[in-house]
């Protein structure tokens, strides 16, 4: 007689729990559209039924080309609960950049927002194995036998799904990341990893049904940092922002009484410099998380000034880790430190959340001491790691070694477990035999009052081989010269770290998550060179 049953660890359980416990609560807000958790559960189930009617089988990839919307959020549950794999595509990529991803993933269906109808039309002639292209918010193109998304749901029978039959170790989601190679890498995330990640993050952030979080991070960017799962698990409200817009976000905070914000540094800079912020009622906000790229102390101070009553902290994560690894909360026993020291800790990557272990490794693999100064490659292991890269066993073996994920990030670790990301190993500038960490130089430059944002890259140099170059965007109505920026750096940096040149730009190019695209900035300077390194 069976006395014990281990249920599979799958995010599908979060939706069921929310419908049972918070069913009458208005849980999803998307523009003027609002659903209770019970309605959300029913819509997800109808979507699953519609996918089955279209012939979807376990393991099939279902692609979405869409900005944030409730339909994409529904896919986060409707697709995995029938054993299929969700593939959210980066809407910022060009068609040429999307094609290798689609050929590698071979999705069976592609759902697209009408904003990307032209791209979808071109895909239909590209020899892809996609059986159906389905528009999310408009009728499908003339001549198509398919209904609209809403008609598909309406025609599907209402039913429930037996998630107990799912294999927790099977792939639930697939995200493509550029990483360090030219070929995009498809990160495979299992039901088990996503389920445990949600619990660890919800516990670390203390998310509850009293919370409302605005979707500033794109859903195509590794679950919008896990929000579809953590918020549903906790019965919190999903408040969906189609695309990041600082003015629209301020209005949303006031109207929906947002309690939590997650932003990359460039978003935070744009928000706190929005003129309307002084007239907005932001009192509902109790937490502002800044991640996705290293945040500098100056930015943390500026955000704290605008949200003086809220918790402001940095964080760190990777697509390969589902994604959150660490959060820079100030530990209770460290709250007697000076304000500057507290701010320094909060602008780091933070300390590892539950279920995650970190260490630093030297080039030979030996452990690096946690002394706050010795640098090493950040290594991660735990319950939330990816299963590997789709169709790339060699890259998988290179990234996952002896149970540890090699992040490719250079970091220090102090005796309290706080991680400071010094740089991407690939972004180091080797100048005259000395390593220059570009993130360190960027942090100093961003402390200049005229600087809005900056990026430091390696450029060829006849004398030094490589030299650091700063590309700077200034704040509106501010002025600065190259000599002023260099003099500012000279006060805080060793001579070999100071940029040899400064170039001013109106804006710096960014990817879909708001990160500055250093690869695009470097390319013109290395044209004609066989390698982008000396």
């Amino acid at each position: 007689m069976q006395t014990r049953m281990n249920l599979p660890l799958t995010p599908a359980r979060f939706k069921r729990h929310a419908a049972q416990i918070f069913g009458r609560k208005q849980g999803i807000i998307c523009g003027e559209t609002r659903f209770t958790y019970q309605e959300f559960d029913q819509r997800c189930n109808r979507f699953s039924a519609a996918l089955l009617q279209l012939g979807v089988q376990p393991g099939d990839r279902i692609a979405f080309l869409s900005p944030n919307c409730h339909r994409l959020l529904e896919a986060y549950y409707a697709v995995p609960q029938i054993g299929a794999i969700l593939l959210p595509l980066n809407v910022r990529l060009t068609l040429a950049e999307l094609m290798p991803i689609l050929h590698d993933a071979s999705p069976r269906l592609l759902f697209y927002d009408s904003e990307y109808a032209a791209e979808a039309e071109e895909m239909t002639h590209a020899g892809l194995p996609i059986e159906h292209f389905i528009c999310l918010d408009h009728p499908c193109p003339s001549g198509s036998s398919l209904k609209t998304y809403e008609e598909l749901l309406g025609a599907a029978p209402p039913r429930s799904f037996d998630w107990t039959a799912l294999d927790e170790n099977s792939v639930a989601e697939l995200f493509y990341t550029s990483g360090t190679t030219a070929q995009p890498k498809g990160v495979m995330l299992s039901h088990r990893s996503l389920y445990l990640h949600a619990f660890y993050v919800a516990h670390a952030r203390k998310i509850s049904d009293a919370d409302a979080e605005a979707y500033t991070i794109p859903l195509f960017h590794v679950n919008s940092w896990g929000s579809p799962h953590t918020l549903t698990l906790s019965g919190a409200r999903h408040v969906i922002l189609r695309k990041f817009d600082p003015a629209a976000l301020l209005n949303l905070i006031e109207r929906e009484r947002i309690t939590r914000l997650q932003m990359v540094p460039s978003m935070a800079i744009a928000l706190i410099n929005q003129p309307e912020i002084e007239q907005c009622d932001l009192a509902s906000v109790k937490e502002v998380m800044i991640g996705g790229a290293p945040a500098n102390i100056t930015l943390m101070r500026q955000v704290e000034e605008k949200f003086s009553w809220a918790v402001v902290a940095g964080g760190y994560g990777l697509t390969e880790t589902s994604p959150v690894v660490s959060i820079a909360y100030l530990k209770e026993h460290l709250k007697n430190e000076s304000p500057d020291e507290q701010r320094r800790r909060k602008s780091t990557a933070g300390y590892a959340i539950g279920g995650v272990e970190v260490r630093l490794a030297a080039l030979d693999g030996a452990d690096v001491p946690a002394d706050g100064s010795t640098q090493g490659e950040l290594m991660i292991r735990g319950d939330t790691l990816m299963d590997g890269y789709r169709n790339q066993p060699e890259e998988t073996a290179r990234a996952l070694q002896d149970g540890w994920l090699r992040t490719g990030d250079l970091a220090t670790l102090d005796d309290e477990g706080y991680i400071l990301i010094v740089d991407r190993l690939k972004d180091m500038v080797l100048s005259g035999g000395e390593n220059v960490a570009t993130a360190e130089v960027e942090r100093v430059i961003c402390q200049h009052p005229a600087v809005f944002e900056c990026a430091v890259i390696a450029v060829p140099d006849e004398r030094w081989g490589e030299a650091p170059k700063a590309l700077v965007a200034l704040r509106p109505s501010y002025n600065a010269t190259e000599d002023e920026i260099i003099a500012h750096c000279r006060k805080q940096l060793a001579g070999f770290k100071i940029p040899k040149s400064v170039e001013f730009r109106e804006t710096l190019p960014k990817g879909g998550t708001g990160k500055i695209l250093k690869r695009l900035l470097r390319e013109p300077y290395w044209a004609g060179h066989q390698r982008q390194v000396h």
Side-chain angles (χ1 to χ4, degrees):
M1 178 179 177
Q2 184 177 6
T3 59
R4 181 183 179 188
M5 179 178 180
N6 291 326
L7 297 176
L9 307 184
T10 169
R13 297 169 66 174
F14 302 150
K15 175 179 67 68
R16 177 181 172 88
H17 176 265
Q20 291 177 336
I21 305 303
F22 303 103
R24 290 184 291 179
K25 175 180 180 174
Q26 197 174 83
I28 290 81
I29 293 92
C30 183
E32 300 304 315
T33 302
R34 295 168 182 265
F35 298 118
T36 66
Y37 267 117
Q38 189 172 68
E39 291 170 331
F40 179 70
D41 179 52
Q42 292 168 352
R43 286 179 60 84
C44 292
N45 288 344
R46 284 185 179 273
F47 189 11
S48 293
L51 292 173
L52 293 176
Q53 288 180 331
L54 291 171
V56 172
Q57 300 291 320
D60 285 345
R61 276 73 60 201
I62 308 301
F64 267 71
L65 185 62
S66 171
N68 290 347
C69 76
H70 68 86
R71 300 173 185 91
L72 179 50
L73 181 62
E74 288 158 8
Y76 270 80
Y77 290 95
V79 173
Q81 78 173 356
I82 59 172
I85 301 169
L86 178 63
L87 169 60
L89 298 167
N90 186 336
V91 299
R92 296 284 184 86
L93 297 181
T94 65
L95 184 62
E97 291 169 317
L98 286 171
M99 292 306 294
I101 293 172
L102 294 171
H103 279 293
D104 185 69
S106 300
R108 188 162 186 174
L109 307 176
L110 187 144
F111 292 84
Y112 65 94
D113 185 278
S114 59
E115 183 178 343
Y116 308 101
E119 289 83 351
E121 174 63 24
E122 290 194 52
M123 290 176 190
T124 62
H125 306 294
L128 295 166
I130 301 173
E131 294 179 7
H132 299 293
F133 292 81
I134 304 166
C135 190
L136 290 169
D137 54 338
H138 278 65
C140 291
S142 59
S144 172
S145 61
L146 291 178
K147 302 176 176 65
T148 66
Y149 176 86
E150 293 299 331
E151 288 174 337
L152 281 175
L153 266 61
R159 55 169 293 189
S160 58
F161 289 86
D162 182 17
W163 52 265
T164 64
L166 291 171
D167 177 4
E168 67 179 38
N169 294 308
S170 64
V171 178
E173 297 173 1
L174 181 63
F175 293 90
Y176 278 79
T177 178
S178 58
T180 56
T181 62
Q183 177 65 31
K185 295 182 288 190
V187 177
M188 301 183 292
L189 301 177
S190 70
H191 288 259
R192 184 179 190 274
S193 292
L194 293 168
Y195 180 91
L196 292 173
H197 175 268
F199 271 96
Y200 296 149
V201 175
H203 171 265
R205 297 181 62 200
K206 297 179 174 59
I207 300 173
S208 77
D209 63 314
D211 282 313
E213 184 166 293
Y215 275 69
T216 48
I217 305 300
L219 276 160
F220 64 71
H221 179 56
V222 70
N223 315 328
S224 190
W225 293 357
S227 296
H229 299 147
T230 55
L231 300 183
T232 306
L233 164 66
S234 306
R237 278 190 299 143
H238 306 253
V239 184
I240 300 173
L241 189 65
R242 180 176 172 87
K243 294 179 181 179
F244 176 76
D245 176 86
L249 178 57
L250 288 173
N251 290 332
L252 204 62
I253 292 171
E254 278 197 315
R255 186 175 76 241
E256 303 297 340
R257 309 311 298 160
I258 299 299
T259 63
R260 295 177 184 267
L261 296 172
Q262 297 192 109
M263 294 180 287
V264 297
S266 60
M267 291 177 179
I269 291 170
L271 185 68
I272 63 176
N273 284 282
Q274 190 70 16
E276 298 91 333
I277 194 170
E278 301 300 337
Q279 286 74 48
C280 289
D281 177 8
L282 307 178
S284 62
V285 177
K286 65 182 184 183
E287 180 184 80
V288 180
M289 297 295 302
I290 301 176
N296 59 73
I297 294 176
T298 301
L299 175 59
M300 299 301 290
R301 176 179 52 76
Q302 292 170 341
V303 175
E304 285 183 331
E305 288 173 354
K306 296 296 184 182
F307 295 89
S308 59
W309 61 91
V311 173
V312 179
Y316 172 80
L318 301 163
T319 307
E320 290 86 345
T321 56
S322 298
V324 179
V325 169
S326 56
I327 301 177
Y329 290 136
L330 188 65
K331 298 179 185 179
E332 188 64 30
H333 69 276
L334 299 177
K335 290 183 177 179
N336 60 347
E337 293 182 328
S338 69
D340 286 346
E341 181 64 11
Q342 291 183 27
R343 193 171 290 119
R344 181 195 68 78
R345 291 193 189 276
K346 288 187 285 186
S347 63
T348 69
Y351 53 87
I353 63 173
V356 176
E357 295 181 36
V358 301
R359 69 181 182 92
L360 300 182
L363 291 177
D364 60 2
D367 284 349
V368 167
D371 57 11
S373 60
T374 307
Q375 299 177 3
E377 182 179 3
L378 182 62
M379 311 286 280
I380 300 169
R381 72 176 177 184
D383 303 311
T384 64
L385 294 189
M386 67 172 181
D387 282 7
Y389 298 117
R390 177 178 168 83
N391 298 330
Q392 297 194 46
E394 292 183 359
E395 287 295 328
T396 299
R398 192 173 292 118
L400 298 173
Q401 297 183 6
D402 299 323
W404 292 86
L405 172 71
R406 295 190 60 181
T407 67
D409 284 331
L410 196 64
T412 62
L413 192 66
D414 69 18
D415 57 0
E416 286 285 348
Y418 284 84
I419 305 160
L420 178 65
I421 304 298
V422 178
D423 217 332
R424 287 289 296 171
L425 291 174
K426 65 175 183 176
D427 284 337
M428 295 292 291
V429 181
L430 185 60
S431 186
E434 295 282 358
N435 284 326
V436 179
T438 58
E440 179 184 9
V441 183
E442 287 162 0
R443 281 194 289 271
V444 171
I445 294 175
C446 284
Q447 293 172 12
H448 191 286
V451 173
F452 181 75
E453 59 185 358
C454 78
V456 175
I457 60 172
V459 296
D461 185 275
E462 290 184 2
R463 181 178 182 185
W464 303 107
E466 292 178 355
K469 180 181 185 68
L471 302 170
V472 175
L474 297 177
R475 297 181 184 278
S477 303
Y478 279 78
N479 292 302
T481 66
E482 180 180 47
D483 289 343
E484 287 174 2
I485 298 296
I486 291 175
H488 171 76
C489 292
R490 189 170 287 119
K491 296 175 183 178
Q492 301 185 53
L493 296 172
F496 68 88
K497 296 182 180 181
I498 297 170
K500 299 297 187 291
S501 60
V502 178
E503 183 176 325
F504 295 95
R505 302 279 184 92
E506 288 189 9
T507 60
L508 300 179
K510 299 179 182 66
T513 62
K515 289 184 181 179
I516 295 172
L517 298 175
K518 288 190 175 183
R519 173 178 55 83
L520 294 182
L521 293 172
R522 279 193 296 263
E523 284 177 354
Y525 301 98
W526 292 89
H529 294 264
Q530 290 184 333
R531 298 183 301 165
Q532 290 197 19
V533 62
H534 277 314

